[in-house]
Amino acid sequence: QMKQSGAASTSRRRLFVAIVAIPTALAFVTECTSTNNNIELRATSRHDRWAQEPFDFSARAGWDDFYRKGKADSVDSLEFEWHGHISNEVLATVIKPSIAQAASNRRNSTDLPSILLVGCGNSALPRVLHGAFGTPVEITCLDYSKICIDMVRSMYGTYPNMNFVVGCATKLRKTIAQHFDEARRFDVIIDKGLLDALLCNEGFEVDSLMNGVDEVLTSSNWGVHVLVSFPLTTFQQSSLEDMRDLKWQFDVAVEGGENGRGCLNVARRLSSSDSEETVAKRLQA
């Protein structure tokens, strides 16, 4: 099952969208609103500027308005976390083996381990990852809201090896090619809440997002995709497992995860030489 025909994979993904996404999206609207309110209540005690009314999480205008209202003078007060119960430090730990392996296999001193944050928002994740590994990394922050990216650039623009891209994650390959080159690939891709936002609409763009992730994630066996989202249905998990050459581990238990409704999911790139024992060890790392 590691490789499937393109037609079968495409058909499966269409079923994911057509059958599951629409009713699930309606459920996610309720969950997003409910969870968002909880996040806002917790955030209010620290930064009142983020205590806003729920909005259409699938609309760019809604996000632009969210970031516009939250502008402030200090980096600390600009940072805001979705699924904050799963800490950024935990995410750094999850991808650390991949970063180490990418670093040991780099071709030259400028070929740094690379991390792509899709739908980056104004999270502190870029800052945390920048200094988490004892080796330089290149981090690309991507969001379709220019207001968001301008904000993130003001927060982290002085950090070396940090890129800021205004672009659509559902057209990922095209977006990356426009800002880098056609052959550009990333060692790590992290989605912290973007899938949730897409499912707040009809959910038809999920297929495009996941195809793009598959295309721009390195083909090397240290490639890893981290997905932080609300719990996925069994059918959604099965659909994600149809992505070629990726081995998923869903609902990974993490400290603090029991305090929220989000979950941590990890997909690791397979190679033709990977045995079941090798895959199991890498998933447990």
Side-chain angles (χ1 to χ4, degrees), residues 63-131:
W63 287 108
D64 282 346
D65 192 51
F66 174 79
Y67 297 121
R68 188 181 294 111
K69 289 180 178 179
K71 283 190 174 181
D73 296 327
S74 68
V75 170
D76 179 63
S77 59
L78 283 175
E79 292 174 344
F80 180 81
E81 302 296 333
W82 300 93
H83 296 303
H85 57 284
I86 298 177
S87 74
N88 293 325
E89 288 75 15
V90 164
L91 301 185
T93 299
V94 168
I95 68 174
K96 190 172 183 178
S98 293
I99 296 298
Q101 193 170 355
S104 66
N105 283 275
R106 63 183 185 178
R107 296 179 295 273
N108 53 63
S109 59
T110 61
D111 183 26
L112 302 179
S114 55
I115 303 170
L116 173 64
L117 308 179
V118 291
C120 64
N122 54 333
S123 168
L125 185 57
R127 172 175 59 79
V128 172
L129 296 180
H130 185 270

Side-chain angles (χ1 to χ4, degrees), residues 2-279:
M2 192 172 79
K3 286 186 179 292
Q4 298 188 9
S5 69
S9 178
T10 300
S11 174
R12 182 75 170 181
R13 291 173 188 170
R14 285 175 179 168
L15 283 172
F16 169 80
V17 171
I19 297 177
V20 177
I22 292 178
T24 304
L26 296 176
F28 266 86
V29 171
T30 302
E31 290 187 12
C32 282
T33 300
S34 173
T35 305
N36 185 52
N37 283 338
N38 291 339
I39 290 173
E40 286 172 351
L41 288 173
R42 292 199 297 271
T44 300
S45 63
R46 184 181 179 195
H47 301 305
D48 290 342
R49 61 182 46 83
W50 297 117
Q52 302 176 25
E53 291 298 318
F55 58 91
D56 182 355
F57 298 101
S58 66
R60 184 179 310 189
W63 287 108
D64 282 346
D65 192 51
F66 174 79
Y67 297 121
R68 188 181 294 111
K69 289 180 178 179
K71 283 190 174 181
D73 296 327
S74 68
V75 170
D76 179 63
S77 59
L78 283 175
E79 292 174 344
F80 180 81
E81 302 296 333
W82 300 93
H83 296 303
H85 57 284
I86 298 177
S87 74
N88 293 325
E89 288 75 15
V90 164
L91 301 185
T93 299
V94 168
I95 68 174
K96 190 172 183 178
S98 293
I99 296 298
Q101 193 170 355
S104 66
N105 283 275
R106 63 183 185 178
R107 296 179 295 273
N108 53 63
S109 59
T110 61
D111 183 26
L112 302 179
S114 55
I115 303 170
L116 173 64
L117 308 179
V118 291
C120 64
N122 54 333
S123 168
L125 185 57
R127 172 175 59 79
V128 172
L129 296 180
H130 185 270
F133 307 109
T135 187
V137 293
E138 181 183 25
I139 300 173
T140 297
C141 304
L142 184 149
D143 203 285
Y144 73 171
S145 169
K146 184 179 184 300
I147 296 175
C148 170
I149 290 298
D150 286 345
M151 179 185 293
V152 175
R153 184 182 287 109
S154 74
M155 296 158 68
Y156 309 125
T158 60
Y159 285 57
N161 310 313
M162 191 86 73
N163 306 314
F164 307 94
V165 175
V166 178
C168 184
T170 61
K171 301 176 181 177
L172 198 51
R173 187 172 184 178
K174 180 179 179 180
T175 298
I176 295 304
Q178 288 174 338
H179 290 83
F180 300 98
D181 60 65
E182 288 281 354
R184 182 61 191 267
R185 298 294 182 268
F186 296 87
D187 299 305
V188 175
I189 300 177
I190 300 179
D191 173 347
K192 190 180 182 187
L194 175 59
L195 182 70
D196 295 333
L198 294 180
L199 287 174
C200 284
N201 196 0
E202 287 87 354
F204 291 114
E205 293 178 307
V206 171
D207 188 23
S208 298
L209 171 66
M210 301 313 299
N211 280 334
V213 166
D214 197 15
E215 289 173 339
V216 304
L217 182 66
T218 180
S219 59
S220 301
N221 65 1
W222 59 77
V224 61
H225 175 45
V226 177
L227 171 62
V228 181
S229 68
F230 288 110
L232 301 170
T233 67
T234 300
F235 194 93
Q236 289 170 328
Q237 292 180 3
S238 179
S239 297
L240 291 177
E241 287 177 329
D242 281 344
M243 293 176 64
R244 292 174 296 173
D245 303 334
L246 284 173
K247 180 67 175 180
W248 282 89
Q249 184 179 20
F250 297 106
D251 300 325
V252 178
V254 296
E255 183 178 356
E258 68 278 4
N259 298 322
R261 296 171 68 183
C263 61
L264 174 63
N265 310 287
V266 181
R268 300 189 186 279
R269 183 67 86 188
L270 301 177
S271 71
S272 58
S273 61
D274 280 333
S275 66
E276 288 297 322
E277 181 180 0
T278 300
V279 172

